[in-house]
Coordinates of all heavy atoms in Angstrom, one line a residue:
M1 N -3.7 20.1 10.6 CA -5.1 19.8 11.1 C -5.5 18.4 10.8 O -5.2 17.8 9.8 CB -6.0 20.8 10.4 CG -7.4 20.8 11.0 SD -8.4 22.2 10.4 CE -9.5 21.3 9.4
K2 N -6.1 17.8 11.8 CA -6.5 16.4 11.7 C -7.8 16.2 10.9 O -8.7 17.0 11.1 CB -6.7 15.8 13.1 CG -5.4 15.6 13.9 CD -5.7 15.0 15.2 CE -4.5 14.9 16.1 NZ -4.7 14.2 17.3
T3 N -7.8 15.2 10.1 CA -9.1 14.9 9.4 C -9.9 14.0 10.3 O -9.3 12.9 10.8 CB -8.8 14.2 8.1 OG1 -8.0 15.1 7.3 CG2 -10.0 13.8 7.3
K4 N -11.1 14.3 10.5 CA -12.0 13.5 11.4 C -12.7 12.5 10.6 O -13.2 12.8 9.5 CB -13.0 14.3 12.2 CG -12.3 15.2 13.2 CD -13.4 15.9 14.1 CE -12.7 16.9 15.0 NZ -13.1 18.2 14.8
I5 N -12.7 11.2 11.0 CA -13.4 10.1 10.4 C -14.4 9.6 11.3 O -14.0 9.2 12.5 CB -12.4 9.0 9.9 CG1 -11.4 9.5 9.0 CG2 -13.2 7.8 9.3 CD1 -10.3 8.5 8.6
Y6 N -15.6 9.5 10.9 CA -16.7 9.0 11.8 C -17.2 7.7 11.2 O -17.6 7.6 10.0 CB -17.9 10.0 11.9 CG -17.5 11.2 12.6 CD1 -17.1 12.4 12.0 CD2 -17.6 11.3 14.0 CE1 -16.7 13.5 12.6 CE2 -17.3 12.4 14.7 CZ -16.8 13.5 14.0 OH -16.5 14.7 14.7
V7 N -17.1 6.6 12.0 CA -17.5 5.3 11.5 C -18.8 5.0 12.2 O -18.9 5.0 13.5 CB -16.5 4.2 11.9 CG1 -16.9 2.8 11.4 CG2 -15.1 4.6 11.3
C8 N -19.9 4.7 11.5 CA -21.1 4.3 12.1 C -21.0 2.9 12.7 O -21.0 1.9 12.1 CB -22.3 4.3 11.1 SG -23.8 3.6 11.7
T9 N -20.8 3.0 14.1 CA -20.7 1.7 14.8 C -21.9 1.4 15.7 O -22.1 0.3 16.2 CB -19.4 1.7 15.7 OG1 -19.5 2.9 16.5 CG2 -18.1 1.8 14.9
N10 N -22.7 2.4 15.8 CA -23.9 2.3 16.7 C -25.1 1.9 16.0 O -26.1 1.5 16.6 CB -24.0 3.6 17.5 CG -22.8 3.9 18.4 OD1 -22.0 3.0 18.7 ND2 -22.6 5.1 18.7
G11 N -25.2 2.2 14.7 CA -26.4 1.8 13.9 C -26.4 0.3 13.7 O -25.4 -0.3 13.4
K12 N -27.6 -0.2 13.7 CA -27.8 -1.7 13.6 C -27.3 -2.2 12.3 O -26.6 -3.2 12.3 CB -29.3 -2.0 13.7 CG -29.7 -3.4 13.6 CD -31.2 -3.6 13.7 CE -31.6 -4.9 13.1 NZ -33.0 -4.9 12.8
H13 N -27.6 -1.5 11.2 CA -27.2 -2.1 9.9 C -25.7 -2.1 9.7 O -25.1 -3.1 9.2 CB -27.8 -1.3 8.7 CG -29.3 -1.4 8.7 ND1 -30.1 -0.6 9.4 CD2 -30.1 -2.3 8.0 CE1 -31.4 -1.0 9.2 NE2 -31.4 -2.0 8.4
C14 N -25.0 -1.0 10.1 CA -23.6 -1.0 10.0 C -22.9 -2.0 10.9 O -21.9 -2.6 10.6 CB -23.1 0.4 10.2 SG -23.5 1.6 8.9
R15 N -23.4 -2.1 12.1 CA -22.9 -3.1 13.1 C -23.0 -4.5 12.5 O -22.0 -5.3 12.5 CB -23.7 -3.0 14.4 CG -22.9 -2.5 15.5 CD -23.6 -2.7 16.9 NE -24.9 -3.3 17.0 CZ -26.0 -2.6 17.3 NH1 -25.9 -1.3 17.5 NH2 -27.1 -3.2 17.3
T16 N -24.1 -4.8 11.9 CA -24.3 -6.1 11.3 C -23.4 -6.3 10.1 O -23.0 -7.5 9.8 CB -25.8 -6.2 10.8 OG1 -26.7 -6.0 11.9 CG2 -26.1 -7.6 10.2
N17 N -23.1 -5.3 9.4 CA -22.2 -5.4 8.2 C -20.7 -5.1 8.5 O -20.0 -4.8 7.6 CB -22.7 -4.5 7.1 CG -24.0 -5.0 6.5 OD1 -24.0 -6.2 6.0 ND2 -25.0 -4.3 6.5
G18 N -20.3 -5.3 9.7 CA -18.9 -5.3 10.0 C -18.2 -3.9 10.3 O -17.0 -3.8 10.1
S19 N -19.0 -3.0 10.8 CA -18.4 -1.7 11.0 C -17.4 -1.7 12.1 O -16.5 -0.8 12.2 CB -19.5 -0.6 11.3 OG -20.2 -0.9 12.5
K20 N -17.5 -2.6 13.1 CA -16.4 -2.7 14.1 C -15.1 -3.0 13.6 O -14.1 -2.5 14.0 CB -16.9 -3.7 15.2 CG -18.0 -3.1 16.1 CD -18.1 -3.9 17.4 CE -19.2 -3.1 18.2 NZ -19.6 -3.9 19.4
K21 N -15.1 -3.9 12.6 CA -13.8 -4.2 11.9 C -13.2 -3.0 11.2 O -12.0 -2.7 11.2 CB -14.0 -5.4 10.9 CG -12.8 -6.0 10.3 CD -13.1 -7.2 9.5 CE -13.5 -6.8 8.1 NZ -13.7 -7.9 7.2
I22 N -14.1 -2.3 10.5 CA -13.7 -1.1 9.8 C -13.1 0.0 10.8 O -12.1 0.6 10.6 CB -14.9 -0.4 9.1 CG1 -15.5 -1.4 8.0 CG2 -14.6 0.9 8.5 CD1 -14.5 -1.8 6.9
F23 N -13.9 0.1 11.9 CA -13.4 1.1 12.9 C -12.0 0.7 13.5 O -11.1 1.5 13.6 CB -14.4 1.1 14.1 CG -14.0 2.0 15.2 CD1 -14.2 3.4 15.1 CD2 -13.4 1.5 16.4 CE1 -13.7 4.2 16.2 CE2 -13.0 2.3 17.4 CZ -13.2 3.7 17.3
K24 N -11.8 -0.6 13.8 CA -10.5 -1.1 14.3 C -9.4 -0.9 13.3 O -8.4 -0.4 13.6 CB -10.6 -2.6 14.7 CG -9.4 -3.1 15.4 CD -9.4 -4.5 15.6 CE -8.1 -5.0 16.3 NZ -6.9 -4.5 15.8
H25 N -9.7 -1.1 12.0 CA -8.7 -0.9 11.0 C -8.3 0.5 10.9 O -7.1 0.9 10.9 CB -9.2 -1.4 9.6 CG -8.2 -1.4 8.5 ND1 -7.2 -2.2 8.4 CD2 -8.1 -0.5 7.5 CE1 -6.4 -1.9 7.4 NE2 -7.0 -0.9 6.8
L26 N -9.2 1.4 10.9 CA -8.9 2.8 10.8 C -8.2 3.3 12.1 O -7.3 4.2 12.0 CB -10.2 3.6 10.6 CG -10.8 3.5 9.2 CD1 -12.2 4.0 9.1 CD2 -9.9 4.1 8.1
K27 N -8.7 2.8 13.2 CA -8.1 3.2 14.5 C -6.6 2.8 14.5 O -5.8 3.5 15.1 CB -8.9 2.5 15.6 CG -8.8 3.2 16.9 CD -9.5 4.5 17.0 CE -9.4 5.1 18.4 NZ -9.8 6.6 18.4
D28 N -6.3 1.6 14.0 CA -4.9 1.2 13.9 C -4.0 2.2 13.1 O -2.9 2.5 13.5 CB -4.7 -0.2 13.3 CG -5.2 -1.3 14.2 OD1 -5.5 -1.1 15.4 OD2 -5.4 -2.4 13.6
H29 N -4.6 2.7 12.1 CA -3.9 3.8 11.3 C -3.8 5.1 12.1 O -2.8 5.8 11.9 CB -4.6 4.0 9.9 CG -4.2 2.9 9.0 ND1 -4.8 1.7 9.0 CD2 -3.3 2.8 8.0 CE1 -4.3 0.9 8.0 NE2 -3.4 1.6 7.4
E30 N -4.8 5.4 12.8 CA -4.8 6.6 13.6 C -3.6 6.5 14.6 O -2.9 7.6 14.8 CB -6.1 6.7 14.4 CG -6.1 8.0 15.3 CD -7.2 8.0 16.3 OE1 -7.0 7.3 17.3 OE2 -8.2 8.7 16.1
D31 N -3.3 5.4 15.1 CA -2.2 5.2 16.0 C -0.9 5.6 15.3 O 0.0 6.2 15.9 CB -2.1 3.8 16.6 CG -3.3 3.5 17.5 OD1 -3.9 4.5 18.0 OD2 -3.5 2.3 17.8
K32 N -0.8 5.2 14.1 CA 0.5 5.5 13.3 C 0.5 6.9 12.8 O 1.6 7.5 12.6 CB 0.6 4.5 12.1 CG 0.8 3.1 12.5 CD 0.8 2.2 11.2 CE 0.1 0.9 11.5 NZ -0.5 0.3 10.4
L33 N -0.7 7.5 12.5 CA -0.7 8.8 11.8 C -1.5 9.8 12.7 O -2.3 10.5 12.3 CB -1.5 8.7 10.5 CG -0.9 7.7 9.5 CD1 -1.9 7.4 8.4 CD2 0.3 8.3 8.9
C34 N -1.2 9.7 14.0 CA -2.0 10.5 15.0 C -2.0 12.0 14.7 O -2.9 12.7 15.2 CB -1.6 10.2 16.4 SG 0.1 10.4 16.7
D35 N -1.0 12.5 14.0 CA -1.1 13.9 13.7 C -1.9 14.3 12.5 O -2.2 15.4 12.2 CB 0.3 14.5 13.5 CG 1.0 13.8 12.4 OD1 0.8 12.6 12.1 OD2 1.9 14.4 11.7
K36 N -2.4 13.3 11.8 CA -3.1 13.5 10.6 C -4.6 13.2 10.7 O -5.4 13.7 9.9 CB -2.5 12.7 9.4 CG -1.1 13.1 9.1 CD -1.0 13.2 7.6 CE 0.5 13.6 7.3 NZ 0.6 14.6 6.3
L37 N -5.0 12.2 11.5 CA -6.4 11.8 11.5 C -6.9 11.4 12.9 O -6.1 11.0 13.8 CB -6.7 10.7 10.5 CG -6.0 9.3 10.7 CD1 -7.1 8.3 10.9 CD2 -5.2 9.0 9.4
K38 N -8.2 11.6 13.1 CA -8.8 11.2 14.3 C -10.0 10.4 13.9 O -10.9 10.8 13.1 CB -9.3 12.5 15.0 CG -9.9 12.2 16.4 CD -8.9 11.9 17.4 CE -9.6 11.4 18.7 NZ -8.8 10.6 19.5
V39 N -10.1 9.2 14.5 CA -11.2 8.2 14.1 C -12.2 8.1 15.3 O -11.7 7.9 16.4 CB -10.6 6.8 13.8 CG1 -11.7 5.9 13.4 CG2 -9.6 6.9 12.7
K40 N -13.4 8.3 15.0 CA -14.4 8.3 16.1 C -15.6 7.4 15.7 O -15.9 7.2 14.5 CB -15.0 9.7 16.3 CG -13.9 10.6 16.9 CD -14.5 12.0 17.2 CE -13.5 12.8 18.0 NZ -14.2 13.8 18.8
K41 N -16.3 6.9 16.7 CA -17.5 6.1 16.5 C -18.6 7.1 16.4 O -18.6 8.2 16.9 CB -17.8 5.2 17.7 CG -16.7 4.1 17.9 CD -17.1 3.2 19.1 CE -16.1 2.1 19.2 NZ -16.3 1.2 20.4
S42 N -19.6 6.7 15.6 CA -20.8 7.5 15.5 C -22.1 6.7 15.5 O -22.1 5.5 15.3 CB -20.7 8.4 14.2 OG -21.3 7.8 13.1
D43 N -23.2 7.5 15.6 CA -24.5 6.9 15.5 C -24.8 6.8 14.0 O -24.0 7.2 13.2 CB -25.5 7.8 16.2 CG -25.4 7.8 17.7 OD1 -24.9 6.7 18.2 OD2 -25.7 8.8 18.3
C44 N -26.0 6.4 13.7 CA -26.4 6.2 12.3 C -26.2 7.5 11.5 O -26.5 8.6 11.9 CB -27.9 5.8 12.3 SG -28.6 5.7 10.6
L45 N -25.6 7.3 10.3 CA -25.3 8.4 9.4 C -26.4 8.6 8.4 O -26.3 9.5 7.5 CB -23.9 8.2 8.7 CG -22.7 8.2 9.7 CD1 -21.5 7.7 8.9 CD2 -22.4 9.6 10.3
G46 N -27.4 7.8 8.4 CA -28.5 7.9 7.4 C -28.3 7.2 6.1 O -29.0 7.4 5.2
F47 N -27.3 6.3 6.1 CA -27.0 5.6 4.8 C -27.1 4.1 5.1 O -26.3 3.3 4.6 CB -25.7 5.9 4.3 CG -25.6 7.4 3.8 CD1 -25.3 8.4 4.7 CD2 -26.0 7.7 2.5 CE1 -25.2 9.7 4.2 CE2 -25.9 9.0 2.1 CZ -25.6 10.0 2.9
C48 N -28.1 3.7 5.8 CA -28.2 2.3 6.4 C -28.3 1.2 5.2 O -27.8 0.1 5.4 CB -29.5 2.2 7.2 SG -29.7 3.5 8.4
K49 N -28.9 1.6 4.1 CA -29.0 0.6 3.0 C -27.6 0.4 2.3 O -27.4 -0.5 1.5 CB -29.9 1.2 1.9 CG -31.4 1.1 2.3 CD -32.3 1.4 1.2 CE -33.7 1.3 1.7 NZ -34.7 1.8 0.8
H50 N -26.6 1.2 2.7 CA -25.3 1.1 2.1 C -24.2 0.9 3.2 O -23.1 1.4 3.2 CB -24.9 2.3 1.3 CG -25.9 2.6 0.3 ND1 -26.0 1.9 -0.9 CD2 -27.0 3.5 0.2 CE1 -27.0 2.4 -1.6 NE2 -27.6 3.4 -1.0
A51 N -24.6 0.1 4.2 CA -23.8 -0.1 5.4 C -22.6 -1.1 5.0 O -22.8 -1.9 4.2 CB -24.6 -0.7 6.5
P52 N -21.5 -0.9 5.7 CA -21.2 0.2 6.7 C -20.8 1.5 6.0 O -20.2 1.6 5.0 CB -20.0 -0.4 7.4 CG -19.3 -1.4 6.5 CD -20.4 -1.9 5.6
A53 N -21.2 2.6 6.7 CA -21.0 3.9 6.2 C -19.9 4.7 7.1 O -19.9 4.5 8.3 CB -22.3 4.7 6.2
V54 N -19.2 5.5 6.4 CA -18.1 6.3 7.0 C -18.2 7.7 6.5 O -18.3 7.9 5.3 CB -16.7 5.7 6.7 CG1 -15.6 6.5 7.2 CG2 -16.6 4.3 7.3
S55 N -18.1 8.7 7.4 CA -18.1 10.1 7.0 C -16.7 10.7 7.3 O -16.1 10.4 8.3 CB -19.1 10.8 7.9 OG -19.0 12.2 7.8
V56 N -16.2 11.4 6.3 CA -14.8 11.9 6.3 C -14.7 13.4 6.2 O -15.3 13.9 5.2 CB -13.9 11.2 5.2 CG1 -12.5 11.7 5.3 CG2 -14.0 9.7 5.4
G57 N -14.0 14.0 7.1 CA -13.6 15.4 6.9 C -14.7 16.4 7.2 O -15.8 16.1 7.5
D58 N -14.3 17.7 7.1 CA -15.3 18.8 7.4 C -16.4 18.8 6.5 O -17.5 19.3 6.8 CB -14.5 20.1 7.4 CG -13.5 20.2 8.5 OD1 -13.7 19.5 9.5 OD2 -12.6 21.0 8.4
D59 N -16.2 18.4 5.2 CA -17.3 18.4 4.3 C -18.2 17.2 4.4 O -19.2 17.0 3.7 CB -16.8 18.6 2.8 CG -15.9 17.5 2.4 OD1 -15.5 16.7 3.2 OD2 -15.5 17.4 1.2
E60 N -17.8 16.3 5.3 CA -18.6 15.1 5.7 C -18.9 14.2 4.5 O -20.1 13.8 4.3 CB -19.9 15.5 6.4 CG -19.6 16.2 7.7 CD -20.8 16.7 8.4 OE1 -21.9 16.7 7.9 OE2 -20.7 17.2 9.6
K61 N -17.9 14.0 3.6 CA -18.1 13.1 2.5 C -18.4 11.7 3.0 O -17.6 11.2 3.9 CB -16.9 13.1 1.6 CG -16.9 12.1 0.5 CD -15.7 12.2 -0.5 CE -15.7 11.2 -1.5 NZ -16.8 10.9 -2.3
V62 N -19.5 11.1 2.6 CA -19.8 9.8 3.1 C -19.4 8.7 2.1 O -19.7 8.8 0.9 CB -21.4 9.7 3.3 CG1 -21.8 8.3 3.7 CG2 -21.8 10.7 4.4
Y63 N -18.7 7.7 2.6 CA -18.3 6.5 1.9 C -19.3 5.4 2.3 O -19.6 5.2 3.4 CB -16.9 6.1 2.2 CG -15.9 7.1 1.7 CD1 -15.6 8.3 2.3 CD2 -15.2 6.8 0.5 CE1 -14.6 9.1 1.8 CE2 -14.2 7.7 0.0 CZ -14.0 8.9 0.7 OH -13.0 9.7 0.2
K64 N -19.8 4.7 1.2 CA -20.8 3.7 1.5 C -20.2 2.3 1.2 O -19.3 2.2 0.4 CB -22.0 4.0 0.6 CG -22.6 5.3 0.8 CD -23.6 5.6 -0.3 CE -23.9 7.1 -0.4 NZ -24.5 7.5 -1.6
C65 N -20.8 1.3 1.9 CA -20.4 -0.1 1.7 C -18.9 -0.2 1.8 O -18.2 -0.8 1.0 CB -20.8 -0.6 0.3 SG -22.6 -0.5 0.0
V66 N -18.4 0.4 2.9 CA -16.9 0.5 3.1 C -16.4 -0.9 3.5 O -16.9 -1.6 4.3 CB -16.6 1.5 4.2 CG1 -15.2 1.5 4.6 CG2 -17.1 2.9 3.8
D67 N -15.3 -1.2 2.8 CA -14.5 -2.4 3.2 C -13.0 -2.0 3.5 O -12.7 -0.8 3.5 CB -14.6 -3.5 2.1 CG -14.1 -2.9 0.7 OD1 -13.5 -1.8 0.7 OD2 -14.3 -3.6 -0.3
I68 N -12.2 -2.9 3.7 CA -10.8 -2.6 4.1 C -10.1 -1.8 3.0 O -9.4 -0.9 3.2 CB -10.0 -3.9 4.5 CG1 -10.6 -4.6 5.7 CG2 -8.5 -3.6 4.7 CD1 -10.6 -3.7 7.0
K69 N -10.4 -2.2 1.7 CA -9.8 -1.6 0.6 C -10.2 -0.1 0.5 O -9.4 0.8 0.3 CB -10.3 -2.3 -0.7 CG -9.6 -1.7 -2.0 CD -10.1 -2.5 -3.2 CE -9.6 -1.8 -4.4 NZ -10.7 -1.6 -5.4
T70 N -11.5 0.2 0.8 CA -12.0 1.6 0.8 C -11.3 2.3 2.0 O -10.9 3.5 1.8 CB -13.5 1.6 1.0 OG1 -14.1 0.7 0.2 CG2 -14.0 3.0 0.8
C71 N -11.1 1.7 3.1 CA -10.4 2.3 4.2 C -9.0 2.8 3.8 O -8.6 3.9 4.1 CB -10.3 1.4 5.4 SG -11.8 1.0 6.2
N72 N -8.3 1.9 3.1 CA -7.0 2.2 2.7 C -6.9 3.3 1.7 O -6.0 4.2 1.7 CB -6.3 0.9 2.1 CG -6.1 -0.1 3.2 OD1 -6.0 0.2 4.4 ND2 -5.9 -1.4 2.8
E73 N -8.0 3.4 0.8 CA -8.1 4.5 -0.1 C -8.3 5.8 0.6 O -7.8 6.9 0.3 CB -9.2 4.2 -1.1 CG -8.8 3.1 -2.1 CD -10.1 2.6 -2.9 OE1 -11.2 3.2 -2.8 OE2 -9.9 1.7 -3.7
I74 N -9.2 5.8 1.6 CA -9.5 7.0 2.4 C -8.2 7.5 3.1 O -7.8 8.7 3.0 CB -10.5 6.7 3.5 CG1 -11.9 6.4 2.8 CG2 -10.6 7.8 4.5 CD1 -12.9 5.9 3.8
I75 N -7.4 6.6 3.7 CA -6.2 6.9 4.4 C -5.2 7.5 3.4 O -4.5 8.5 3.6 CB -5.6 5.7 5.1 CG1 -6.6 5.4 6.3 CG2 -4.2 6.0 5.6 CD1 -6.4 4.1 6.9
A76 N -5.1 6.9 2.2 CA -4.1 7.3 1.2 C -4.4 8.7 0.8 O -3.5 9.6 0.6 CB -4.1 6.4 0.0
K77 N -5.7 9.1 0.7 CA -6.1 10.4 0.3 C -5.7 11.4 1.4 O -5.2 12.5 1.1 CB -7.6 10.5 0.1 CG -8.1 10.6 -1.3 CD -9.5 10.8 -1.4 CE -10.0 10.5 -2.8 NZ -11.4 10.5 -2.9
I78 N -5.9 11.0 2.6 CA -5.6 11.9 3.7 C -4.1 12.2 3.8 O -3.6 13.3 4.0 CB -6.1 11.4 5.0 CG1 -7.6 11.4 5.0 CG2 -5.6 12.1 6.2 CD1 -8.3 10.6 6.1
V79 N -3.3 11.2 3.6 CA -1.8 11.4 3.8 C -1.1 11.9 2.6 O 0.0 12.4 2.6 CB -1.1 10.1 4.2 CG1 -1.6 9.6 5.6 CG2 -1.2 9.0 3.2
S80 N -1.8 12.0 1.4 CA -1.2 12.5 0.2 C -1.1 14.0 0.2 O -1.8 14.7 0.9 CB -1.9 12.0 -1.0 OG -3.2 12.6 -1.1
Ligands
FES1 S1 -26.9 2.1 10.6 FE1 -25.1 2.9 9.8 S2 -25.7 4.5 8.5 FE2 -27.5 3.9 9.5

């Protein structure tokens, strides 16, 4: 089963804080791990003060102030 990752790319705060770069980085991994994860763009997740925000999995765990290092940690958790 694929883990769904939603990156807030449409909210103003996340856009301003580099969510497109986060989305692209995760999307590159999706290409390599297409059987394990699905990366999607989303509207505001309600964590604008901690932008960029990313929601992961069915339990919708939200990662705040996400950077490339956090992305790699998220991916490592999914593939482990
Ligand atoms: S703008 Fe991204 S969580 Fe609100």
